[in-house]
Amino acid sequence: MTETWIILGATSSMARAFARAVARDGANVILAGRDAKDLDASAADCRLQGAPFSQAARFDARDANTFAPIVESATALEGMINVAVFVGSMPTQDQIDADPSLIAGTVTDNYAGPAAFLQMIAPHMEERGGGTVAGVGSVAGDRGRIGNYVYGSAKAGFHTYLSGLRNRLTRSGGHVVTVKPGFVDTAMTWGIEGMFLVATPDKIAADILKAVEKRKDVIYTPGFWRLIMGIIKAIPERLFKKLSV
């Protein structure tokens, strides 16, 4: 039976690459985001790639009223329901220091909004006895660093939420993959100084699909970030607080 992928934040380059890949595998695709024109184009592309059903839907992490119509569209289709979360925003730490009101939006975009949507869809996944959530966090969530600790804290919260949701959905046959990318060549990271070992969106999408297939719990992508973050997490706090990493 055909499965359905809801892709939140579908206008990001990582999400587009992922959507094309699942469409080629014959899945239904619901592309959710804020740019209607972009989403319509992606939906048409997914149909060309092989998706039997492809639909654009409005999703705004800061507007809970946009959640229910997406859930209704997905539950109207037969088969397992999957969700891939690519939603996020990343004001610079300097911008947040100058305007602390930006914290609320950052936390909503990266954690609270996606978590609220997943809470809404989870019972439907349980009723159908399976499904997968692929939640895209960030290596920034592994440790608070001076350059992006607000963004990192939101991703850390999302990581913890996904861990709990994984515990819950496992009991009904579902699964949750926590994805921790390093630097990726996307619009959100454009112009950021100090980026290195930058991955392509296609690479991240391929790694997520592989992790879904193998029912991995947590992945770093590209894989070398597991070692890098292992080293960063191992630095004692008394030394770490003196570093600018």
Side-chain angles (χ1 to χ4, degrees):
M1 188 176 290
T2 303
E3 62 183 0
T4 297
W5 276 97
I6 301 169
I7 301 177
L8 303 181
T11 55
S12 79
S13 50
M14 282 190 293
R16 286 194 201 96
F18 185 83
R20 287 194 296 269
V22 296
R24 285 193 292 269
D25 286 342
N28 296 320
V29 181
I30 298 175
L31 300 156
R34 289 184 293 187
D35 187 332
K37 186 176 179 181
D38 187 294
L39 293 170
D40 285 337
S42 292
D45 180 52
C46 284
R47 286 190 288 273
L48 289 173
Q49 298 294 332
F53 174 88
S54 181
Q55 179 187 70
R58 182 170 177 266
F59 174 84
D60 186 336
R62 305 185 193 188
D63 182 1
N65 292 320
T66 64
F67 300 176
I70 299 170
V71 173
E72 289 168 10
S73 293
T75 54
L77 298 166
E78 295 183 351
M80 294 297 179
I81 298 171
N82 308 313
V83 186
V85 180
F86 292 91
V87 182
S89 64
M90 190 172 63
T92 66
Q93 191 61 49
D94 286 345
Q95 289 172 326
I96 292 172
D97 291 343
D99 182 6
S101 68
L102 293 173
I103 291 175
T106 303
V107 172
T108 300
D109 292 342
N110 291 291
Y111 169 33
F117 179 86
L118 291 172
Q119 285 295 113
M120 188 179 289
I121 199 75
H124 299 285
M125 297 175 70
E126 290 170 322
E127 285 172 10
R128 300 190 183 200
T132 299
V133 172
V136 178
S138 171
V139 296
D142 276 10
R143 192 162 193 180
R145 296 181 290 117
I146 193 169
N148 66 352
Y149 58 89
V150 170
Y151 171 76
S153 67
K155 287 301 189 183
F158 190 47
H159 295 168
T160 302
Y161 172 82
L162 291 171
S163 178
L165 185 64
R166 177 163 47 247
N167 198 297
R168 171 183 172 177
L169 292 184
T170 294
R171 287 157 169 73
S172 59
H175 189 59
V176 176
V177 180
T178 302
V179 181
K180 299 183 180 183
F183 296 119
V184 186
D185 186 14
T186 67
M188 192 166 75
T189 60
W190 188 84
I192 294 178
E193 294 181 4
M195 291 208 309
F196 59 96
L197 300 173
V198 180
T200 65
D202 285 336
K203 164 64 177 170
I204 306 302
D207 283 353
I208 296 172
L209 280 171
K210 193 181 300 181
V212 167
E213 216 174 285
K214 295 184 176 181
R215 291 176 72 89
K216 295 280 189 180
D217 295 325
V218 180
I219 66 162
Y220 288 80
T221 173
F224 52 73
W225 278 99
R226 182 179 294 276
L227 175 61
I228 293 172
M229 296 313 298
I231 293 169
I232 289 175
K233 288 190 291 183
I235 300 171
E237 193 72 11
R238 61 188 174 79
L239 297 179
F240 189 77
K241 64 187 180 183
K242 299 176 182 178
L243 302 177
S244 298
V245 296

